Amino acid sequence: MKIRLVAPPYSSAPELVPPLGLLSIASYLKSSLTELPLDIQVIDCAGVDVNDYDVPDQIIRDNVDVVGFPVYSQYVSVVTKWASYIKERSPNIILIAGGPHVSLTWKHFTNRWGHLFDYTIAGDGEIPFTSLINSLAAKNRPMEIPGLGWLSESKELINCGLPGPQLPAENWPNPFDAELITLAKSRPVFIDPFNGQKRDAVTLVNSRSCPMRCSFCSIITVSQKWIAADVNDVIKWLEFEYSRKPFEHIYFLDANFFVQSKRVCEIAELIRERLPGVTWSALSTVLMFLKMKSYIPLLIDCGLRMVELGIESGSQRQLDIMQKDCKVEKNFEAVNVLQQYGLRIGLDYIMFYPEQTIEDLQDNLSFLIDSGLVSQLDDFDHYFNALILYPGTPLRHKYSKLFEKELDPDFVPPCDDLFVDESIKSIYRLTMEFCKHHMGWIKQGVKNIRTLITEMDSHDLDPITYKRAQKLRLDFISLKHLPLKVIWHLIDHHNYDSIAEAMPQLFIIQENLKAIEDTYLKTEFV
């Protein structure tokens, strides 16, 4: 039986994080059905154009029996487009849909798309998918498999009850044991903040769900408890992958890695002992991270180099609406701890949300300034993030009632339609226009000037060149601050039809940047 688990192209740019959920399903299937002759591949189509059908065409040519797709709420149209293409040309291929969106909207999704997908899976996919393959191999119609549903010929929902059971952590397979076909041209990398070294990296999830109950998060809607793999299993998986493809950094992509302090320390110490020289990073909510504050020196000694913090906002009112159960002061404290130890900071931040006021937006901007993150962070995404209303979340239900709108479960509504304050709506519209037309040259300018500064630092400079180099540093800082300045400017100048009218000096800044780059590219220290 030929089985392909396909992660369709979910963005226009290559995403280097492999489809970890599909890898776990493939590994579990491989280890559970050893008596069956199975040909299982996970195909990662990150970076492929959605209109490029080379992968679906190859699936059809290979006479594949079963194709499984993970579905995410922002990309329902993408996965249904590829599934429709396959179904039209090879109707005998069994198509299966699972993943977060199916789990969040199971009955609706099966009703709407049951004519396209032969089966849908809600919850953890390992057990129901494996049971389904076992039934298909025996040429039986699967029945009474928890987490597995479908639409009958008479359009009746079959078996769409409770999601499938959580796979016990002791039964989790080694995700690196699956065969992965990736179309990305490179593997993940990490830049060490301590020495600037570029490190080849791997990604791993070793716990599932989250004990927090933030009202905007889709994880809580699935309502499964937080569970984690055995520490020794985690290290064995990593050693297995290291023996095949040596790496220098681990991205732990658990929704909340720092839930249990003792467990984190055990993993860190085993990495130091069994994978010497390998560094690592992780994601965490603020309060969970602060519980680990006294352990930070130990964790650094064991390779910790970055923490991505779910800060979400610098406005206390916004934090309360999102049920973050955290104070702004704690957000400041967490950032300060990371800065104190020289660790890289990853920032999860929601700049815009429906109930926002001008004061809330100012609080968001002020937090970035007062915490020192404006100059410190290397990316700019946090300036443009708007709240995503995932199906089934408390906030989506709240805003659906507030605006008396029936929100399509297969559609993530843009914030444009949901702002309460018209001023915020206008600021957001102009900010998105600024992002579209200006962030490209700003990002490239920051990259170019950083390269020039690095080159400059490697030379002994004469007094005149030194002064020019210091001016270059000021230009670099000014450019990194520009997105914040633009949004702050729009707070007082948002009654315009376009960003060009609201802030005409942007084009002057762009021309000045080009002149700066041209001048410094000709300086003697380059």
Side-chain angles (χ1 to χ4, degrees), residues 180-428:
L180 173 64
I181 308 297
T182 179
L183 303 182
K185 295 181 180 179
S186 59
R187 66 192 297 185
V189 296
F190 179 79
I191 307 299
D192 194 317
F194 290 1
N195 55 26
Q197 180 185 352
K198 194 175 188 179
R199 295 173 168 268
D200 288 333
V202 293
T203 55
L204 180 65
V205 169
N206 64 95
S207 66
R208 300 186 185 183
S209 195
C210 177
M212 307 297 289
R213 287 294 176 262
C214 306
S215 61
F216 65 93
C217 183
S218 60
I219 292 175
I220 68 168
T221 307
V222 179
S223 70
Q224 293 178 317
K225 67 178 182 178
W226 181 85
I227 56 175
D230 182 81
V231 169
N232 291 307
D233 286 339
V234 174
I235 300 303
K236 287 177 183 177
W237 299 341
L238 291 168
E239 287 181 319
F240 172 84
E241 180 65 2
Y242 190 88
S243 68
R244 299 192 312 163
K245 300 176 183 176
F247 53 83
E248 301 160 295
H249 185 83
I250 306 160
Y251 283 105
F252 287 115
L253 298 182
D254 311 60
N256 207 342
F257 183 74
F258 289 89
V259 171
Q260 292 180 345
S261 301
K262 180 183 177 184
R263 181 175 182 274
V264 172
C265 290
E266 288 176 352
I267 290 176
E269 290 174 328
L270 284 173
I271 289 174
R272 180 178 59 184
E273 175 187 338
R274 310 255 285 268
L275 295 166
V278 171
T279 56
W280 57 277
S281 56
L283 288 70
S284 179
T285 52
V286 167
L287 296 182
M288 293 290 183
F289 170 72
L290 287 176
K291 286 196 312 180
M292 300 289 302
K293 184 166 64 171
S294 62
Y295 298 101
I296 298 301
L298 168 66
L299 298 182
I300 290 175
D301 187 56
C302 294
L304 176 63
R305 293 296 181 268
M306 183 184 84
V307 176
E308 183 175 331
L309 285 173
I311 287 178
E312 313 306 352
S313 179
S315 159
Q316 189 60 55
R317 195 175 82 93
Q318 185 171 336
L319 291 174
D320 293 341
I321 288 173
M322 293 189 291
Q323 297 179 7
K324 285 293 295 180
D325 193 28
C326 185
K327 299 298 182 184
V328 173
E329 292 76 16
K330 292 296 182 181
N331 286 345
F332 275 113
E333 182 182 351
V335 171
N336 180 257
V337 170
L338 291 172
Q339 291 169 332
Q340 176 186 346
Y341 288 102
L343 295 167
R344 268 184 62 187
I345 300 173
L347 182 64
D348 293 337
Y349 209 64
I350 301 172
M351 184 62 70
F352 297 95
Y353 72 105
E355 290 179 80
Q356 193 170 46
T357 65
I358 293 293
E359 290 74 19
D360 294 327
L361 180 57
Q362 288 173 325
D363 286 345
N364 266 355
L365 296 172
S366 295
F367 178 85
L368 297 175
I369 296 170
D370 296 341
S371 64
L373 290 174
V374 177
S375 299
Q376 184 175 5
L377 295 176
D378 288 334
D379 63 67
F380 300 92
D381 292 347
H382 47 280
Y383 291 113
F384 310 106
N385 288 337
L387 180 68
I388 298 175
L389 294 177
Y390 290 105
T393 57
L395 273 187
R396 180 173 172 124
H397 178 68
K398 172 183 177 179
Y399 291 132
S400 177
K401 289 183 63 177
L402 179 65
F403 292 96
E404 298 181 344
K405 284 189 175 186
E406 191 65 37
L407 301 177
D408 187 333
D410 286 344
F411 182 67
V412 176
C415 255
D416 311 48
D417 300 334
L418 300 173
F419 287 117
V420 175
D421 189 316
E422 288 297 320
S423 298
I424 294 293
K425 185 175 183 178
S426 181
I427 293 168
Y428 178 74

Side-chain angles (χ1 to χ4, degrees), residues 33-267:
L33 301 182
T34 55
E35 72 284 358
L36 292 180
L38 300 177
D39 174 3
I40 313 165
Q41 289 181 349
V42 176
I43 306 176
D44 182 8
C45 300
V48 173
D49 189 286
V50 67
N51 296 310
D52 180 353
Y53 294 106
D54 283 352
V55 170
D57 284 337
Q58 188 63 51
I59 285 172
I60 294 167
R61 286 194 298 271
D62 289 345
N63 294 315
V64 170
D65 299 292
V66 177
V67 178
F69 291 100
V71 187
Y72 296 87
S73 296
Q74 299 99 312
Y75 302 106
V76 174
S77 62
V78 173
V79 71
T80 53
K81 184 174 183 176
W82 273 30
S84 297
Y85 184 90
I86 294 173
K87 200 71 169 181
E88 289 169 6
R89 288 157 181 79
S90 189
N92 290 327
I93 293 179
I94 295 173
L95 300 181
I96 304 168
H101 183 75
V102 177
S103 298
L104 293 170
T105 66
W106 193 17
K107 291 183 180 180
H108 156 81
F109 188 91
T110 308
N111 258 326
R112 178 176 284 186
W113 300 106
H115 67 282
L116 178 58
F117 295 99
D118 297 275
Y119 300 98
T120 59
I121 292 177
D124 284 3
E126 290 91 349
I127 294 175
F129 190 84
T130 300
S131 299
L132 172 61
I133 296 301
N134 206 23
S135 295
L136 294 175
K139 302 189 183 305
N140 295 325
R141 182 71 169 179
M143 299 296 290
E144 302 296 329
I145 296 177
L148 184 73
W150 64 90
L151 203 59
S152 71
E153 292 182 1
S154 60
K155 308 303 180 185
E156 178 187 0
L157 280 175
I158 305 297
N159 212 38
C160 281
L162 295 175
Q166 273 188 308
L167 182 66
E170 60 269 21
N171 295 336
W172 288 2
N174 177 359
F176 296 116
D177 197 30
E179 182 181 355
L180 173 64
I181 308 297
T182 179
L183 303 182
K185 295 181 180 179
S186 59
R187 66 192 297 185
V189 296
F190 179 79
I191 307 299
D192 194 317
F194 290 1
N195 55 26
Q197 180 185 352
K198 194 175 188 179
R199 295 173 168 268
D200 288 333
V202 293
T203 55
L204 180 65
V205 169
N206 64 95
S207 66
R208 300 186 185 183
S209 195
C210 177
M212 307 297 289
R213 287 294 176 262
C214 306
S215 61
F216 65 93
C217 183
S218 60
I219 292 175
I220 68 168
T221 307
V222 179
S223 70
Q224 293 178 317
K225 67 178 182 178
W226 181 85
I227 56 175
D230 182 81
V231 169
N232 291 307
D233 286 339
V234 174
I235 300 303
K236 287 177 183 177
W237 299 341
L238 291 168
E239 287 181 319
F240 172 84
E241 180 65 2
Y242 190 88
S243 68
R244 299 192 312 163
K245 300 176 183 176
F247 53 83
E248 301 160 295
H249 185 83
I250 306 160
Y251 283 105
F252 287 115
L253 298 182
D254 311 60
N256 207 342
F257 183 74
F258 289 89
V259 171
Q260 292 180 345
S261 301
K262 180 183 177 184
R263 181 175 182 274
V264 172
C265 290
E266 288 176 352
I267 290 176

